[in-house]
Amino acid sequence: MPVFYGTEIASPLMLGTAQYRSPTILAEAFRASAAGIATVSLRREAGGGQAFLRLIEALGVRLLPNTAGCHSVKEAVTTAQMARELLGTDWIKLEVIGHADLLSPDVFALVEAARELTGQGFKVFPYCTEDLSVCERLLAAGCQVLMPWGAPIGSGLGLNNPHGLKALRATFPDVPLVIDAGIGLPSHAAAAMELGFDAILLNTAVAKAGDPVMMACAMAQAAEAGKAAHRADPMEPREMATPSTPVIGKAFLS
């Protein structure tokens, strides 16, 4: 099971709380997913009031507030401070958006905000790219978890750069890594876990599915299957065929 900042989480699946058609569907999807962490935007919590907060608390999972929608260091830091005061946790998923259409991270502002927040005692989960130099700077800033994107938020494209993500896993073998954003199908979730990532975070793929509860269950099963496959040490792909039945002992007729 993944361990973040010394806390073991019961599931490799982390689930967002936005865009569900009803609170009932949200709760049922969480139960089906067995997710160990729920992410929540401070803006979403403020819009739903205490009723929404009670719903999230009733899920019985660890809460990870995020700074979704922030475009500057000051805005992200202020939002994190408000989240800690309101929700009573020093965990924060740090988002600093740099491009309005792609919702890609502003990696320069991200490192600066991460350094400031870790200095204030926050346990930062940075939404970042798979760029090795950026990730090195985030770790140097005090982050103990990295959350590279698979693809743009809400795109459902899966893993756009599997080779880069594989290199990231190899470069930081002891750092908890979470694929954040872009997961659209259970096969994407399995692929991420097969690369050796510790967890995946998704929202839209479940919330916007025709049957969110069924999709939540499928994502959970895929994540577990991918994790098991990675631990099984799978075969390396080959360019040429290799017979599964040996020719030794084969009868030859003249």
Side-chain angles (χ1 to χ4, degrees):
M1 293 297 107
V3 177
F4 303 132
Y5 291 99
T7 300
E8 185 176 72
I9 305 301
S11 167
L13 185 61
M14 305 161 67
L15 203 55
T17 56
Q19 306 185 73
Y20 291 86
R21 293 192 290 273
S22 74
T24 299
I25 292 176
L26 186 157
E28 290 178 353
F30 261 87
R31 284 193 289 270
S33 73
I37 291 178
T39 62
V40 57
S41 167
L42 186 63
R43 289 175 171 84
R44 176 69 179 86
E45 194 283 328
Q50 291 300 313
F52 178 73
L53 183 56
R54 286 194 297 271
L55 171 65
I56 300 304
E57 290 175 339
L59 297 175
V61 298
R62 183 82 188 219
L63 192 63
L64 178 62
N66 66 48
T67 62
C70 293
H71 292 261
S72 69
V73 173
K74 182 178 180 180
E75 188 179 10
V77 169
T78 300
T79 301
Q81 293 168 338
M82 293 172 63
R84 179 162 64 178
E85 181 175 348
L86 182 63
L87 302 175
T89 177
D90 56 7
W91 282 23
I92 191 72
K93 179 192 168 187
L94 179 61
E95 295 183 29
V96 186
I97 300 302
H99 193 285
D101 291 331
L102 293 179
L103 299 179
S104 55
D106 180 338
V107 295
F108 305 102
L110 182 67
V111 172
E112 183 180 345
R115 184 178 295 110
E116 186 168 343
L117 288 172
T118 56
Q120 295 179 19
F122 283 91
K123 296 177 174 61
V124 178
F125 294 68
Y127 163 61
C128 59
T129 67
E130 69 277 16
D131 185 278
L132 295 178
S133 62
V134 171
C135 291
E136 286 176 344
R137 285 165 172 77
L138 287 168
L139 294 173
C143 298
Q144 296 181 24
V145 178
L146 297 172
M147 302 182 71
W149 65 348
I153 294 172
S155 68
L157 291 172
L159 308 181
N160 276 354
N161 185 10
H163 299 292
L165 292 170
K166 186 176 182 179
L168 181 65
R169 176 72 285 176
T171 303
F172 304 112
D174 300 321
V175 176
L177 300 179
V178 181
I179 291 293
D180 178 13
I183 300 295
L185 294 170
S187 56
H188 301 157
M193 298 301 293
E194 286 170 9
L195 289 177
F197 279 73
D198 298 276
I200 54 172
L201 171 57
L202 56 94
N203 188 165
T204 308
V206 170
K208 290 298 186 181
D211 187 334
V213 178
M214 184 177 294
M215 182 60 76
C217 182
M219 288 292 186
Q221 293 173 345
E224 292 292 345
K227 181 176 69 173
H230 175 72
R231 290 179 174 177
D233 190 17
M235 63 174 284
E236 291 292 330
R238 302 179 177 91
E239 293 186 0
M240 299 295 290
T242 302
S244 57
T245 302
V247 296
I248 298 175
K250 180 180 177 180
F252 290 91
L253 302 178
S254 58

